[in-house]
Amino acid sequence: MVQVKQLGELPPLHKQKYTYLILGGGSIGVALARELTKSRKDFIIVDADPARVEALREQDYEAIEGDIGSYRVLEKLPIKGVEGIFILSSSHAANVKALEYVKSHTPAPFVMARAVDLLTIDELYRAGADIVLHPPTIVADEALNELQKMELHGASWQLMSYIKSLDAGQRVGIVVHDNPDSDAFASALCLRTMAESLGRSADILYYGMIGHHETRAFVNLLDIPLVHIANGVLDKYPVIALVDCNTPGKNNSLPPNTRVNIVIDHHPLPEGAGLNADFVDIRPEVGAASTMMARYVQELDFELSSHLATALLYGIRTDTNEFRRNTSAADLNAAAYLYGFVDKDLLSQIETPSMSPEAMDVLGVAIRNKKIEGSYLISNVGFIHDRDTLPQAADYLLKLEGISTVLVFGISEERIVISARSKDIRINIGDVIQKAFGEIGSAGGHQKTAAAQIPLGVFSGVKDRAILMKLTEEAVTRRFLGAVGMEGQAE
């Protein structure tokens, strides 16, 4: 029988040096010890149960008996010079005492502490833990992760089976949301590529305009074929897919009664909405539609070109704001998978598109003509040829100190063209622009970006340009400030 020595019987122990200390030799501690052994790391386990310590030593682990809730034991721990300490006992009081002792007696190695229930997590963080481990939560998260993998595997094969079942002559129209961004186009490009790999034809369709200069560079550099939706265009497509949006007429200009066959989106369904599509995959837990498409490709072991990988990675980065917004483990895993396939030079060109001379001129006019109401900035840039210069100006003005929301507008092709940006968490700028201009034109967007186009209507008969600009400015400003609840300022 192996003799178990107690910590108090080992005076030389504090002179020995270990890379890691495991305080608590239960199932979690043993699992950790097993992994450290595989990595050839040196460590020692401390546990209060003599029988458990004996069992650990019989498995060739270096283990000693000691109650980590006792200062007499804590004082003998060889904590000096260790890289990491794992406090994993089943006693919350003992874990807190050990954590506080470690943090007050050593130049702070990495410390992981176990929470015995959800209510104790915050206390352990306050006591100085770098990571708090709650085993039931970890088990639940892992189970959910495995469930999602199974669902994704099934969804990817169902999607390909459905596309394959279509008649060869049935052309698929892939519709993205109005005024689409890089995530929408990348996702649609992936679906188009998958369809064509099965011998089915598909086109990417969109309403509105391509507003952001980086999105324009994205489309041009990747040579993405697009079809702008006009009257009669949809009649050519017996199969309709919605990508990065999920309901006809919501965030897209499809007629609300449009029959949709495929829906792939990461936004939740509008409240009360229902779908009657042949294939539906909606995953609000992920940050980008491109993540879903990348995972399809990965599950199917689909041949991935550098162009498609570059598009999907940029789509993920765009919609998650470089992984700072609504980012899940799925987004990070998809990005890691794609990164090995991307064209780094092409990605760099997309990220740093040049600014045209007209864009520079419009920006200058926007700065000179800016009007500020509280944290709102409105600027009238006059007559323009390239309406895509407006989003660039709006992006720049949003960086000004004290500004939370920007609206820039001008006149192009007998229309008032509007671009809006916001970093105010209290409002959804897409909803604001829809409320302000949806009844008199085409309007919409997202939480932080939006756009609108309004026919000049009765103003088209005004020949004096100065008067026309003054009239449109008064109308746009009044409607916008009214929509954000500043009616008094619009007088």
Side-chain angles (χ1 to χ4, degrees):
M1 185 173 191
V2 178
Q3 181 180 1
V4 179
K5 295 184 179 180
Q6 294 189 2
L7 190 61
E9 301 172 1
L10 298 172
L13 185 63
H14 68 281
K15 296 180 181 179
Q16 300 178 32
K17 185 175 181 180
Y18 298 90
T19 305
Y20 297 102
L21 300 183
I22 301 176
L23 309 185
S27 58
I28 301 173
V30 171
L32 177 60
R34 190 178 301 119
E35 294 304 314
L36 291 177
T37 300
K38 290 179 183 178
S39 302
R40 300 183 182 276
K41 304 294 185 181
D42 54 355
F43 60 91
I44 189 168
I45 306 174
V46 180
D47 194 273
D49 185 345
R52 182 178 290 165
V53 172
E54 181 177 341
L56 289 167
R57 291 171 65 87
E58 288 177 344
Q59 298 176 60
D60 293 329
Y61 292 127
E62 189 166 356
I64 52 178
E65 181 188 341
D67 179 4
I68 65 168
S70 165
Y71 283 121
R72 180 185 64 82
V73 171
L74 292 171
E75 289 170 354
K76 294 183 179 292
L77 289 176
I79 62 175
K80 187 175 181 181
V82 299
E83 295 181 10
I85 299 176
F86 301 90
I87 305 174
L88 306 173
S89 86
S90 57
S91 167
H92 173 63
N95 288 348
V96 171
K97 185 174 288 188
L99 178 58
E100 291 175 342
Y101 180 87
V102 167
K103 286 295 182 179
S104 63
H105 285 80
T106 183
F110 172 85
V111 179
M112 176 186 286
R114 174 188 177 184
V116 298
D117 56 48
L118 291 172
L119 298 177
T120 60
I121 292 176
D122 287 342
E123 184 178 358
L124 290 168
Y125 275 123
R126 287 195 299 270
D130 296 295
I131 294 291
V132 174
L133 195 67
H134 183 237
T137 303
I138 293 172
V139 172
D141 287 347
E142 185 61 26
L144 180 60
N145 187 43
E146 290 301 317
L147 176 61
Q148 290 172 346
K149 286 181 181 178
M150 291 173 58
E151 290 178 345
L152 189 63
H153 180 77
S156 57
W157 284 100
Q158 288 172 23
L159 174 61
M160 293 298 276
S161 296
Y162 176 74
I163 295 173
K164 193 173 182 178
S165 72
L166 300 175
D167 293 340
Q170 288 185 294
R171 197 168 190 86
V172 180
I174 305 172
V175 179
V176 295
H177 58 73
D178 289 1
N179 311 308
D181 56 12
S182 300
D183 181 39
F185 281 141
S187 305
L189 177 63
C190 187
L191 182 58
R192 180 179 185 269
T193 304
M194 293 168 69
E196 291 184 341
S197 74
L198 295 173
R200 305 299 184 267
S201 299
D203 291 325
I204 302 172
L205 315 178
Y206 75 102
Y207 290 94
M209 60 182 180
I210 305 173
H212 200 285
H213 61 294
E214 284 192 10
T215 307
R216 294 183 64 201
F218 175 86
V219 170
N220 292 334
L221 289 167
L222 290 167
D223 195 24
I224 301 176
L226 303 174
V227 177
H228 192 270
I229 299 177
N231 290 337
V233 167
L234 290 177
D235 296 339
K236 302 176 183 177
Y237 301 95
V239 179
I240 297 293
L242 277 180
V243 172
D244 204 23
C245 54
N246 55 47
T247 306
K250 298 294 184 181
N251 202 24
N252 60 76
S253 297
L254 281 177
N257 61 348
T258 301
R259 163 65 173 155
V260 175
N261 305 88
I262 298 171
V263 176
I264 301 171
D265 192 21
H266 69 112
H267 301 98
L269 276 172
E271 187 174 350
L275 288 176
N276 182 27
D278 301 312
F279 174 87
V280 177
D281 192 6
I282 298 176
R283 299 179 183 272
E285 70 273 11
V286 304
S290 293
T291 295
M292 299 174 64
M293 302 307 299
R295 297 297 298 276
Y296 288 162
V297 168
Q298 190 174 12
E299 286 292 328
L300 295 165
D301 198 20
F302 189 83
E303 185 174 348
L304 187 60
S305 69
S306 62
H307 263 53
L308 182 54
T310 302
L312 290 172
L313 178 61
Y314 188 74
I316 295 171
R317 288 171 51 177
T318 299
D319 245 36
T320 62
N321 191 21
E322 295 295 340
F323 307 106
R324 294 190 293 266
R325 177 184 65 211
N326 301 331
T327 305
S328 69
D331 299 302
L332 297 173
N333 291 336
Y337 163 70
L338 293 167
Y339 191 75
F341 298 93
V342 301
D343 183 329
K344 311 297 191 303
D345 292 335
L346 184 58
L347 186 61
S348 178
Q349 292 179 62
I350 296 170
E351 292 171 334
T352 56
S354 58
M355 181 177 282
S356 68
E358 183 178 356
M360 292 288 290
D361 292 340
V362 169
L363 176 58
V365 175
I367 294 172
R368 288 196 300 273
N369 292 351
K370 68 182 186 298
K371 295 182 179 179
I372 298 174
E373 299 287 351
S375 63
Y376 297 99
L377 184 153
I378 303 171
S379 185
N380 179 354
V381 300
F383 291 82
I384 57 174
H385 295 290
D386 184 359
R387 60 190 181 188
D388 291 330
T389 59
L390 295 181
Q392 298 177 59
D395 286 336
Y396 181 88
L397 293 173
L398 191 60
K399 298 176 183 178
L400 297 181
E401 184 177 357
I403 299 301
S404 69
T405 303
V406 169
L407 182 138
V408 180
F409 67 96
I411 295 178
S412 173
E413 301 174 354
E414 298 299 312
R415 293 174 178 272
I416 303 170
V417 185
I418 297 170
S419 182
R421 298 289 186 268
S422 181
K423 55 187 177 184
D424 189 338
I425 62 174
R426 298 170 298 176
I427 66 172
N428 182 313
I429 193 62
D431 292 344
V432 169
I433 295 303
Q434 173 63 36
K435 178 181 178 182
F437 308 109
E439 294 181 355
I440 58 174
S442 172
H446 297 283
Q447 177 78 30
K448 299 180 181 297
T449 64
Q453 297 183 60
I454 307 165
L456 280 177
V458 295
F459 294 145
S460 61
V462 179
K463 302 304 180 183
D464 188 304
R465 285 196 165 198
I467 295 176
L468 177 58
M469 290 310 305
K470 182 175 176 58
L471 291 174
T472 56
E473 181 174 328
E474 289 175 352
V476 169
T477 301
R478 182 175 64 255
R479 280 183 169 272
F480 174 69
L481 292 180
V484 296
M486 297 182 66
E487 292 89 347
Q489 303 295 326
E491 300 298 331

